[in-house]
Amino acid sequence: MTTATPTRGLEGVIAGETEICSVEQGALIYRGYEIHDLAEHATFEEVAFLLLVGHRPSAEELRFFKDELVANRALPPQCVDYLRASAPLLKQGSAVPMDVLRTCVSILGNTDAESQDNSAEANLRKAKRLTAKIPTIIGHMQNLIDGREIVSLNTGGDAKLGHAANLLYLMGGEKPSAEHAHVLDVSLILYAEHDYNASTFTSRVIAATLSDMHGAVTGAIAALKGPLHGGANEAAMEMLKEMRRDLGPENDKAKIEAWMQRAFAEKRKLMGFGHRVYKHGDHRASLLHALGRKIAEKKGPEFVRLFELGEHVQRIMAEQKQIYPNVDFPCGMTYYTMGIAVPQYTPIFVASRITGWCAHIMEQHANNRLIRPIAQYTGPRDLKWKG
């Protein structure tokens, strides 16, 4: 029997070591590179290579890596068949995109000849294939939800488009503007990795049993789905849509204040705010907010008002609760302004975080120890089954 004091949610507990990422109050570091530097100067493909391979790619390495991603975009027929079969379930609401994506990744494990090979070489090849195929799953799924023919069924997109641009193309069937492609690319960089968050820790726990990469990623997707983790960007946008319905199109400050006070009185959790580590604000949030607002200003007054509403909410939260937005809050507004369907926000998170997950799975397999914490029992004792 242990007498140690348990820590709820393992808050503040160091559960392992990693060379991949450091989450700090004033910085987010991917393998030595700070997130502001990466967001301004790198592409998602470069960051994906950095996370998966372990160093900044040379020009030749990057060119080869991009070619590998393009070559592996297309989905096997078993995955496409499942997507087609799931379309009615998605439309009626008994299935949601994150669940369909999770099952598709599991199917990919069944069709990948190397799925049971946990060697470093096979794991890296599988990581590249998953990075390439997840955007294709999202795109095909959205086509089927919208009742359109699947875009680029045989190729998984346009070989001339970069990773972020191709994802937008697959979802909507139109080549995105350079600005939209850039904003999505930055958002993928911001979401790519975040040390031992809930979904990454899930993937490492699974990998620590020496289970395979596809299984570990499937578990990570299930963890990311929750509104207290990856689903927060969807929940944040739904909250703002609710506010607009309640308050009308104009951002009346008194009405916004009253709505927020009701939410405080009801002890409602306002999604997109607060962070287990960033107590003084998530430095990713301002980066994405600025990019999203620029798109809103070009798109029209309706979208500017959305960002103004978000800014009012942020100000109230900061002044009255000392709670600040995390990256999910501007993400919701930005993706909405870009015309991305809300239920696909978290799947797009997967398209980014797959790189961090795979890096952690490979790191776990390379220096493994089964992850098995202990629990403090609080139930009854000395009960008798008979007598």
Side-chain angles (χ1 to χ4, degrees):
M1 179 178 68
T2 179
T3 59
T5 302
T7 302
R8 293 190 67 204
L10 300 181
E11 183 169 2
V13 174
I14 297 175
E17 296 180 335
T18 182
E19 296 181 350
I20 300 167
C21 177
S22 178
V23 178
E24 304 169 8
Q25 287 297 331
L28 173 60
I29 299 168
Y30 296 176
R31 295 197 186 274
Y33 296 91
E34 210 282 319
I35 195 65
H36 287 77
D37 185 21
L38 294 173
E40 184 176 358
H41 299 114
T43 64
F44 176 71
E45 288 93 331
E46 289 173 312
V47 171
F49 184 99
L50 172 70
L51 292 171
L52 294 175
V53 181
H55 64 264
R56 177 180 177 177
S58 67
E60 183 178 0
E61 286 174 323
L62 180 61
R63 186 164 52 251
F64 185 71
F65 180 66
K66 287 181 176 179
D67 288 344
E68 285 183 294
L69 294 181
V70 169
N72 283 290
R73 284 173 174 172
L75 300 179
Q78 296 89 340
C79 195
V80 176
D81 290 345
Y82 168 71
L83 284 169
R84 291 190 188 280
S86 70
L89 304 178
L90 287 163
K91 290 178 181 179
Q92 72 187 32
S94 60
V96 296
M98 279 294 283
D99 291 344
V100 171
L101 176 57
R102 182 196 65 216
T103 302
C104 279
V105 169
S106 189
I107 292 171
L108 290 178
N110 293 330
T111 62
D112 194 314
E114 293 187 296
S115 64
Q116 306 308 311
D117 185 347
N118 288 344
S119 68
E121 297 78 12
N123 271 347
L124 180 57
R125 289 190 291 269
K126 287 183 287 185
K128 293 174 181 177
R129 289 194 284 270
L130 282 166
T131 301
K133 293 181 189 302
I134 285 174
T136 311
I137 294 170
I138 297 168
H140 290 359
M141 190 191 329
Q142 191 60 43
N143 295 160
L144 292 166
I145 291 171
D146 292 339
R148 294 194 305 268
E149 286 297 315
I150 291 177
V151 174
S152 300
L153 176 61
N154 296 324
T155 61
D158 186 331
K160 295 180 181 179
L161 292 177
H163 198 73
N166 192 62
L167 173 53
L168 291 172
Y169 168 62
L170 287 170
M171 293 181 71
E174 297 181 359
K175 304 289 177 66
S177 68
E179 183 177 26
H180 280 207
H182 171 67
V183 171
L184 184 63
D185 190 78
V186 171
S187 79
L188 295 180
I189 291 171
L190 297 178
Y191 273 117
E193 169 53 12
H194 219 237
D195 77 29
Y196 277 27
N197 58 83
S199 56
T200 299
F201 191 64
T202 298
S203 75
R204 292 196 74 133
V205 170
I206 296 171
T209 71
L210 296 184
S211 189
D212 63 283
M213 177 172 282
H214 286 85
V217 170
T218 300
I221 293 172
L224 190 72
K225 175 189 174 184
L228 295 185
H229 189 17
N233 52 15
E234 295 181 29
M237 189 58 228
E238 292 296 348
M239 181 189 74
L240 287 170
K241 288 166 69 175
E242 177 188 344
M243 291 184 73
R244 295 177 88 181
R245 288 193 299 269
D246 291 348
L247 303 177
E250 300 303 323
N251 289 326
D252 185 297
K253 292 183 180 180
K255 290 182 179 179
I256 296 172
E257 176 72 30
W259 195 98
M260 293 291 289
Q261 293 307 316
R262 284 195 301 273
F264 295 155
E266 295 167 1
K267 300 188 182 303
R268 176 173 177 176
K269 185 172 180 60
L270 300 181
M271 304 308 295
F273 286 88
H275 195 277
R276 181 69 68 84
V277 178
Y278 301 132
K279 303 302 183 184
H280 306 296
D282 183 342
H283 35 274
R284 298 171 298 173
S286 59
L287 290 170
L288 195 52
H289 185 99
L291 291 171
R293 206 182 199 289
K294 286 182 180 179
I295 291 180
E297 289 167 355
K298 293 178 180 179
K299 198 160 182 181
E302 174 190 352
F303 298 97
V304 172
R305 285 195 294 271
L306 171 63
F307 272 82
E308 289 173 346
L309 172 60
E311 289 158 4
H312 286 315
V313 171
Q314 290 176 197
R315 191 175 302 112
I316 293 169
M317 288 291 286
E319 291 175 354
Q320 299 185 26
K321 297 294 182 178
Q322 291 75 54
I323 300 176
Y324 304 92
N326 56 51
V327 70
D328 295 318
F329 193 69
C331 176
M333 295 186 292
T334 299
Y335 284 0
Y336 184 81
T337 301
M338 292 170 63
I340 297 173
V342 174
Q344 296 292 8
Y345 292 4
T346 315
I348 292 173
F349 192 159
V350 175
S352 168
R353 187 58 60 84
I354 184 62
T355 54
W357 289 339
C358 288
H360 279 274
I361 292 164
M362 290 187 285
E363 187 176 63
Q364 187 67 42
H365 278 163
N367 185 27
N368 190 54
R369 180 173 174 80
L370 181 68
I371 298 172
R372 204 297 190 189
I374 58 175
Q376 180 169 298
Y377 177 67
T378 60
R381 294 183 180 277
D382 303 320
L383 299 179
K384 302 299 181 184
W385 192 261
K386 185 177 180 180

mmCIF file of all heavy atoms in Angstrom, residues 77-115:
data_model
loop_
_atom_site.group_PDB
_atom_site.id
_atom_site.type_symbol
_atom_site.label_atom_id
_atom_site.label_comp_id
_atom_site.label_asym_id
_atom_site.label_seq_id
_atom_site.Cartn_x
_atom_site.Cartn_y
_atom_site.Cartn_z
ATOM 1 N N PRO A 77 -7.660 0.905 -51.345
ATOM 2 C CA PRO A 77 -9.105 0.792 -51.610
ATOM 3 C C PRO A 77 -9.919 0.437 -50.377
ATOM 4 O O PRO A 77 -11.074 0.862 -50.250
ATOM 5 C CB PRO A 77 -9.183 -0.311 -52.676
ATOM 6 C CG PRO A 77 -7.860 -1.018 -52.627
ATOM 7 C CD PRO A 77 -6.867 -0.005 -52.188
ATOM 8 N N GLN A 78 -9.343 -0.312 -49.456
ATOM 9 C CA GLN A 78 -10.093 -0.684 -48.250
ATOM 10 C C GLN A 78 -10.474 0.552 -47.432
ATOM 11 O O GLN A 78 -11.562 0.621 -46.850
ATOM 12 C CB GLN A 78 -9.269 -1.638 -47.385
ATOM 13 C CG GLN A 78 -8.961 -2.970 -48.033
ATOM 14 C CD GLN A 78 -7.667 -2.957 -48.833
ATOM 15 O OE1 GLN A 78 -7.166 -1.882 -49.221
ATOM 16 N NE2 GLN A 78 -7.113 -4.136 -49.080
ATOM 17 N N CYS A 79 -9.587 1.520 -47.400
ATOM 18 C CA CYS A 79 -9.853 2.754 -46.665
ATOM 19 C C CYS A 79 -10.911 3.589 -47.386
ATOM 20 O O CYS A 79 -11.819 4.138 -46.744
ATOM 21 C CB CYS A 79 -8.547 3.541 -46.515
ATOM 22 S SG CYS A 79 -8.619 4.862 -45.291
ATOM 23 N N VAL A 80 -10.819 3.670 -48.700
ATOM 24 C CA VAL A 80 -11.809 4.422 -49.480
ATOM 25 C C VAL A 80 -13.186 3.777 -49.347
ATOM 26 O O VAL A 80 -14.206 4.459 -49.192
ATOM 27 C CB VAL A 80 -11.382 4.508 -50.960
ATOM 28 C CG1 VAL A 80 -12.462 5.200 -51.782
ATOM 29 C CG2 VAL A 80 -10.061 5.254 -51.103
ATOM 30 N N ASP A 81 -13.229 2.438 -49.402
ATOM 31 C CA ASP A 81 -14.514 1.735 -49.242
ATOM 32 C C ASP A 81 -15.150 2.061 -47.893
ATOM 33 O O ASP A 81 -16.363 2.284 -47.801
ATOM 34 C CB ASP A 81 -14.303 0.222 -49.363
ATOM 35 C CG ASP A 81 -13.964 -0.219 -50.776
ATOM 36 O OD1 ASP A 81 -14.172 0.576 -51.716
ATOM 37 O OD2 ASP A 81 -13.479 -1.362 -50.940
ATOM 38 N N TYR A 82 -14.332 2.088 -46.850
ATOM 39 C CA TYR A 82 -14.868 2.421 -45.527
ATOM 40 C C TYR A 82 -15.378 3.859 -45.494
ATOM 41 O O TYR A 82 -16.445 4.139 -44.924
ATOM 42 C CB TYR A 82 -13.819 2.205 -44.425
ATOM 43 C CG TYR A 82 -14.261 2.818 -43.122
ATOM 44 C CD1 TYR A 82 -15.298 2.249 -42.395
ATOM 45 C CD2 TYR A 82 -13.697 4.003 -42.658
ATOM 46 C CE1 TYR A 82 -15.751 2.837 -41.222
ATOM 47 C CE2 TYR A 82 -14.140 4.588 -41.485
ATOM 48 C CZ TYR A 82 -15.165 4.001 -40.770
ATOM 49 O OH TYR A 82 -15.624 4.589 -39.621
ATOM 50 N N LEU A 83 -14.637 4.783 -46.092
ATOM 51 C CA LEU A 83 -15.077 6.175 -46.114
ATOM 52 C C LEU A 83 -16.425 6.299 -46.820
ATOM 53 O O LEU A 83 -17.316 7.024 -46.342
ATOM 54 C CB LEU A 83 -14.032 7.049 -46.801
ATOM 55 C CG LEU A 83 -12.780 7.369 -45.989
ATOM 56 C CD1 LEU A 83 -11.711 8.009 -46.877
ATOM 57 C CD2 LEU A 83 -13.106 8.291 -44.819
ATOM 58 N N ARG A 84 -16.584 5.609 -47.918
ATOM 59 C CA ARG A 84 -17.868 5.664 -48.632
ATOM 60 C C ARG A 84 -18.986 5.086 -47.759
ATOM 61 O O ARG A 84 -20.096 5.636 -47.699
ATOM 62 C CB ARG A 84 -17.768 4.887 -49.947
ATOM 63 C CG ARG A 84 -16.858 5.527 -50.998
ATOM 64 C CD ARG A 84 -17.005 4.836 -52.336
ATOM 65 N NE ARG A 84 -16.044 5.276 -53.330
ATOM 66 C CZ ARG A 84 -16.135 6.391 -54.049
ATOM 67 N NH1 ARG A 84 -17.189 7.188 -53.878
ATOM 68 N NH2 ARG A 84 -15.206 6.705 -54.939
ATOM 69 N N ALA A 85 -18.686 3.985 -47.071
ATOM 70 C CA ALA A 85 -19.707 3.361 -46.230
ATOM 71 C C ALA A 85 -20.061 4.237 -45.026
ATOM 72 O O ALA A 85 -21.199 4.186 -44.528
ATOM 73 C CB ALA A 85 -19.207 1.998 -45.749
ATOM 74 N N SER A 86 -19.117 5.038 -44.573
ATOM 75 C CA SER A 86 -19.362 5.872 -43.393
ATOM 76 C C SER A 86 -20.092 7.170 -43.726
ATOM 77 O O SER A 86 -20.592 7.839 -42.809
ATOM 78 C CB SER A 86 -18.027 6.214 -42.711
ATOM 79 O OG SER A 86 -17.267 7.123 -43.504
ATOM 80 N N ALA A 87 -20.167 7.533 -45.014
ATOM 81 C CA ALA A 87 -20.775 8.814 -45.386
ATOM 82 C C ALA A 87 -22.197 8.972 -44.846
ATOM 83 O O ALA A 87 -22.531 10.025 -44.272
ATOM 84 C CB ALA A 87 -20.745 8.994 -46.899
ATOM 85 N N PRO A 88 -23.093 7.974 -44.980
ATOM 86 C CA PRO A 88 -24.448 8.152 -44.412
ATOM 87 C C PRO A 88 -24.435 8.332 -42.900
ATOM 88 O O PRO A 88 -25.247 9.082 -42.353
ATOM 89 C CB PRO A 88 -25.163 6.847 -44.809
ATOM 90 C CG PRO A 88 -24.396 6.315 -45.971
ATOM 91 C CD PRO A 88 -22.973 6.706 -45.722
ATOM 92 N N LEU A 89 -23.505 7.663 -42.221
ATOM 93 C CA LEU A 89 -23.419 7.785 -40.764
ATOM 94 C C LEU A 89 -22.950 9.175 -40.369
ATOM 95 O O LEU A 89 -23.417 9.745 -39.372
ATOM 96 C CB LEU A 89 -22.470 6.724 -40.206
ATOM 97 C CG LEU A 89 -22.804 5.272 -40.551
ATOM 98 C CD1 LEU A 89 -21.745 4.332 -39.982
ATOM 99 C CD2 LEU A 89 -24.184 4.900 -40.035
ATOM 100 N N LEU A 90 -22.025 9.737 -41.148
ATOM 101 C CA LEU A 90 -21.563 11.099 -40.890
ATOM 102 C C LEU A 90 -22.691 12.104 -41.103
ATOM 103 O O LEU A 90 -22.849 13.056 -40.331
ATOM 104 C CB LEU A 90 -20.383 11.435 -41.805
ATOM 105 C CG LEU A 90 -19.054 10.768 -41.453
ATOM 106 C CD1 LEU A 90 -18.095 10.838 -42.641
ATOM 107 C CD2 LEU A 90 -18.418 11.440 -40.236
ATOM 108 N N LYS A 91 -23.479 11.891 -42.148
ATOM 109 C CA LYS A 91 -24.555 12.839 -42.462
ATOM 110 C C LYS A 91 -25.667 12.793 -41.417
ATOM 111 O O LYS A 91 -26.270 13.821 -41.099
ATOM 112 C CB LYS A 91 -25.113 12.539 -43.854
ATOM 113 C CG LYS A 91 -24.145 12.881 -44.981
ATOM 114 C CD LYS A 91 -24.714 12.528 -46.347
ATOM 115 C CE LYS A 91 -23.731 12.842 -47.456
ATOM 116 N NZ LYS A 91 -24.256 12.478 -48.796
ATOM 117 N N GLN A 92 -25.944 11.602 -40.871
ATOM 118 C CA GLN A 92 -27.015 11.509 -39.876
ATOM 119 C C GLN A 92 -26.526 11.817 -38.472
ATOM 120 O O GLN A 92 -27.331 11.972 -37.547
ATOM 121 C CB GLN A 92 -27.657 10.122 -39.911
ATOM 122 C CG GLN A 92 -26.794 9.000 -39.352
ATOM 123 C CD GLN A 92 -27.423 7.624 -39.560
ATOM 124 O OE1 GLN A 92 -28.119 7.401 -40.550
ATOM 125 N NE2 GLN A 92 -27.177 6.713 -38.637
ATOM 126 N N GLY A 93 -25.200 11.892 -38.294
ATOM 127 C CA GLY A 93 -24.647 12.324 -37.026
ATOM 128 C C GLY A 93 -24.298 11.225 -36.050
ATOM 129 O O GLY A 93 -23.815 11.520 -34.949
ATOM 130 N N SER A 94 -24.521 9.969 -36.398
ATOM 131 C CA SER A 94 -24.135 8.902 -35.482
ATOM 132 C C SER A 94 -22.631 8.657 -35.498
ATOM 133 O O SER A 94 -22.082 8.061 -34.570
ATOM 134 C CB SER A 94 -24.872 7.605 -35.826
ATOM 135 O OG SER A 94 -24.567 7.181 -37.141
ATOM 136 N N ALA A 95 -21.971 9.114 -36.551
ATOM 137 C CA ALA A 95 -20.501 9.109 -36.622
ATOM 138 C C ALA A 95 -20.028 10.542 -36.757
ATOM 139 O O ALA A 95 -20.730 11.396 -37.295
ATOM 140 C CB ALA A 95 -20.022 8.276 -37.811
ATOM 141 N N VAL A 96 -18.828 10.809 -36.256
ATOM 142 C CA VAL A 96 -18.219 12.126 -36.400
ATOM 143 C C VAL A 96 -16.861 11.947 -37.068
ATOM 144 O O VAL A 96 -16.273 10.861 -37.034
ATOM 145 C CB VAL A 96 -18.059 12.830 -35.030
ATOM 146 C CG1 VAL A 96 -19.422 13.104 -34.403
ATOM 147 C CG2 VAL A 96 -17.206 12.008 -34.088
ATOM 148 N N PRO A 97 -16.337 12.992 -37.717
ATOM 149 C CA PRO A 97 -15.094 12.848 -38.466
ATOM 150 C C PRO A 97 -13.928 12.267 -37.684
ATOM 151 O O PRO A 97 -13.150 11.480 -38.232
ATOM 152 C CB PRO A 97 -14.809 14.275 -38.943
ATOM 153 C CG PRO A 97 -16.179 14.848 -39.155
ATOM 154 C CD PRO A 97 -16.986 14.303 -38.013
ATOM 155 N N MET A 98 -13.775 12.625 -36.414
ATOM 156 C CA MET A 98 -12.650 12.079 -35.650
ATOM 157 C C MET A 98 -12.753 10.567 -35.493
ATOM 158 O O MET A 98 -11.747 9.850 -35.523
ATOM 159 C CB MET A 98 -12.555 12.753 -34.292
ATOM 160 C CG MET A 98 -11.861 14.097 -34.318
ATOM 161 S SD MET A 98 -10.113 14.008 -34.763
ATOM 162 C CE MET A 98 -9.387 13.429 -33.221
ATOM 163 N N ASP A 99 -13.965 10.053 -35.327
ATOM 164 C CA ASP A 99 -14.133 8.611 -35.197
ATOM 165 C C ASP A 99 -13.840 7.905 -36.519
ATOM 166 O O ASP A 99 -13.236 6.832 -36.559
ATOM 167 C CB ASP A 99 -15.556 8.277 -34.741
ATOM 168 C CG ASP A 99 -15.824 8.701 -33.305
ATOM 169 O OD1 ASP A 99 -14.846 8.976 -32.575
ATOM 170 O OD2 ASP A 99 -16.996 8.778 -32.917
ATOM 171 N N VAL A 100 -14.293 8.510 -37.604
ATOM 172 C CA VAL A 100 -14.033 7.924 -38.923
ATOM 173 C C VAL A 100 -12.539 7.957 -39.224
ATOM 174 O O VAL A 100 -11.978 6.976 -39.729
ATOM 175 C CB VAL A 100 -14.843 8.672 -40.002
ATOM 176 C CG1 VAL A 100 -14.434 8.233 -41.403
ATOM 177 C CG2 VAL A 100 -16.339 8.451 -39.782
ATOM 178 N N LEU A 101 -11.883 9.056 -38.900
ATOM 179 C CA LEU A 101 -10.434 9.148 -39.107
ATOM 180 C C LEU A 101 -9.705 8.097 -38.284
ATOM 181 O O LEU A 101 -8.774 7.443 -38.769
ATOM 182 C CB LEU A 101 -9.961 10.553 -38.732
ATOM 183 C CG LEU A 101 -8.457 10.829 -38.792
ATOM 184 C CD1 LEU A 101 -7.889 10.544 -40.168
ATOM 185 C CD2 LEU A 101 -8.169 12.267 -38.384
ATOM 186 N N ARG A 102 -10.127 7.927 -37.036
ATOM 187 C CA ARG A 102 -9.505 6.919 -36.164
ATOM 188 C C ARG A 102 -9.599 5.529 -36.781
ATOM 189 O O ARG A 102 -8.625 4.772 -36.818
ATOM 190 C CB ARG A 102 -10.216 6.935 -34.811
ATOM 191 C CG ARG A 102 -9.663 5.976 -33.768
ATOM 192 C CD ARG A 102 -10.651 5.795 -32.645
ATOM 193 N NE ARG A 102 -11.863 5.153 -33.110
ATOM 194 C CZ ARG A 102 -13.087 5.426 -32.672
ATOM 195 N NH1 ARG A 102 -13.273 6.363 -31.763
ATOM 196 N NH2 ARG A 102 -14.142 4.784 -33.150
ATOM 197 N N THR A 103 -10.777 5.183 -37.307
ATOM 198 C CA THR A 103 -10.958 3.866 -37.911
ATOM 199 C C THR A 103 -10.137 3.728 -39.187
ATOM 200 O O THR A 103 -9.585 2.651 -39.461
ATOM 201 C CB THR A 103 -12.448 3.620 -38.197
ATOM 202 O OG1 THR A 103 -13.179 3.728 -36.971
ATOM 203 C CG2 THR A 103 -12.675 2.245 -38.800
ATOM 204 N N CYS A 104 -10.047 4.805 -39.956
ATOM 205 C CA CYS A 104 -9.229 4.761 -41.185
ATOM 206 C C CYS A 104 -7.769 4.469 -40.864
ATOM 207 O O CYS A 104 -7.112 3.700 -41.575
ATOM 208 C CB CYS A 104 -9.345 6.075 -41.943
ATOM 209 S SG CYS A 104 -10.825 6.208 -42.949
ATOM 210 N N VAL A 105 -7.245 5.085 -39.815
ATOM 211 C CA VAL A 105 -5.853 4.826 -39.436
ATOM 212 C C VAL A 105 -5.690 3.368 -39.027
ATOM 213 O O VAL A 105 -4.687 2.725 -39.354
ATOM 214 C CB VAL A 105 -5.409 5.781 -38.311
ATOM 215 C CG1 VAL A 105 -4.067 5.347 -37.723
ATOM 216 C CG2 VAL A 105 -5.303 7.207 -38.849
ATOM 217 N N SER A 106 -6.675 2.833 -38.335
ATOM 218 C CA SER A 106 -6.620 1.417 -37.974
ATOM 219 C C SER A 106 -6.621 0.534 -39.219
ATOM 220 O O SER A 106 -5.878 -0.456 -39.302
ATOM 221 C CB SER A 106 -7.813 1.078 -37.077
ATOM 222 O OG SER A 106 -7.688 -0.217 -36.538
ATOM 223 N N ILE A 107 -7.430 0.900 -40.218
ATOM 224 C CA ILE A 107 -7.439 0.155 -41.485
ATOM 225 C C ILE A 107 -6.092 0.266 -42.175
ATOM 226 O O ILE A 107 -5.579 -0.728 -42.730
ATOM 227 C CB ILE A 107 -8.579 0.662 -42.394
ATOM 228 C CG1 ILE A 107 -9.937 0.295 -41.789
ATOM 229 C CG2 ILE A 107 -8.446 0.089 -43.810
ATOM 230 C CD1 ILE A 107 -11.117 0.942 -42.487
ATOM 231 N N LEU A 108 -5.492 1.449 -42.154
ATOM 232 C CA LEU A 108 -4.165 1.602 -42.757
ATOM 233 C C LEU A 108 -3.161 0.647 -42.112
ATOM 234 O O LEU A 108 -2.269 0.119 -42.783
ATOM 235 C CB LEU A 108 -3.677 3.045 -42.615
ATOM 236 C CG LEU A 108 -4.399 4.108 -43.440
ATOM 237 C CD1 LEU A 108 -3.832 5.494 -43.150
ATOM 238 C CD2 LEU A 108 -4.298 3.812 -44.938
ATOM 239 N N GLY A 109 -3.314 0.401 -40.820
ATOM 240 C CA GLY A 109 -2.444 -0.554 -40.152
ATOM 241 C C GLY A 109 -2.618 -1.955 -40.697
ATOM 242 O O GLY A 109 -1.652 -2.724 -40.819
ATOM 243 N N ASN A 110 -3.858 -2.296 -41.060
ATOM 244 C CA ASN A 110 -4.117 -3.622 -41.615
ATOM 245 C C ASN A 110 -3.593 -3.779 -43.032
ATOM 246 O O ASN A 110 -3.349 -4.908 -43.479
ATOM 247 C CB ASN A 110 -5.622 -3.913 -41.604
ATOM 248 C CG ASN A 110 -6.181 -4.043 -40.205
ATOM 249 O OD1 ASN A 110 -5.485 -4.465 -39.292
ATOM 250 N ND2 ASN A 110 -7.438 -3.675 -40.022
ATOM 251 N N THR A 111 -3.441 -2.675 -43.742
ATOM 252 C CA THR A 111 -2.999 -2.753 -45.134
ATOM 253 C C THR A 111 -1.513 -2.454 -45.314
ATOM 254 O O THR A 111 -0.989 -2.613 -46.413
ATOM 255 C CB THR A 111 -3.811 -1.770 -46.013
ATOM 256 O OG1 THR A 111 -3.577 -0.425 -45.555
ATOM 257 C CG2 THR A 111 -5.292 -2.080 -45.946
ATOM 258 N N ASP A 112 -0.840 -2.019 -44.260
ATOM 259 C CA ASP A 112 0.580 -1.675 -44.339
ATOM 260 C C ASP A 112 1.416 -2.926 -44.071
ATOM 261 O O ASP A 112 1.327 -3.530 -43.000
ATOM 262 C CB ASP A 112 0.919 -0.588 -43.313
ATOM 263 C CG ASP A 112 2.275 0.054 -43.545
ATOM 264 O OD1 ASP A 112 3.247 -0.697 -43.766
ATOM 265 O OD2 ASP A 112 2.360 1.294 -43.489
ATOM 266 N N ALA A 113 2.223 -3.308 -45.026
ATOM 267 C CA ALA A 113 3.020 -4.541 -44.909
ATOM 268 C C ALA A 113 4.011 -4.481 -43.744
ATOM 269 O O ALA A 113 4.445 -5.524 -43.252
ATOM 270 C CB ALA A 113 3.760 -4.804 -46.214
ATOM 271 N N GLU A 114 4.347 -3.268 -43.296
ATOM 272 C CA GLU A 114 5.314 -3.120 -42.215
ATOM 273 C C GLU A 114 4.651 -2.809 -40.871
ATOM 274 O O GLU A 114 5.340 -2.432 -39.916
ATOM 275 C CB GLU A 114 6.311 -2.007 -42.546
ATOM 276 C CG GLU A 114 7.217 -2.320 -43.726
ATOM 277 C CD GLU A 114 8.293 -1.270 -43.927
ATOM 278 O OE1 GLU A 114 7.920 -0.104 -44.220
ATOM 279 O OE2 GLU A 114 9.487 -1.595 -43.788
ATOM 280 N N SER A 115 3.351 -2.986 -40.783
ATOM 281 C CA SER A 115 2.636 -2.526 -39.584
ATOM 282 C C SER A 115 3.149 -3.170 -38.301
ATOM 283 O O SER A 115 3.135 -2.542 -37.242
ATOM 284 C CB SER A 115 1.135 -2.792 -39.728
ATOM 285 O OG SER A 115 0.870 -4.184 -39.799
#
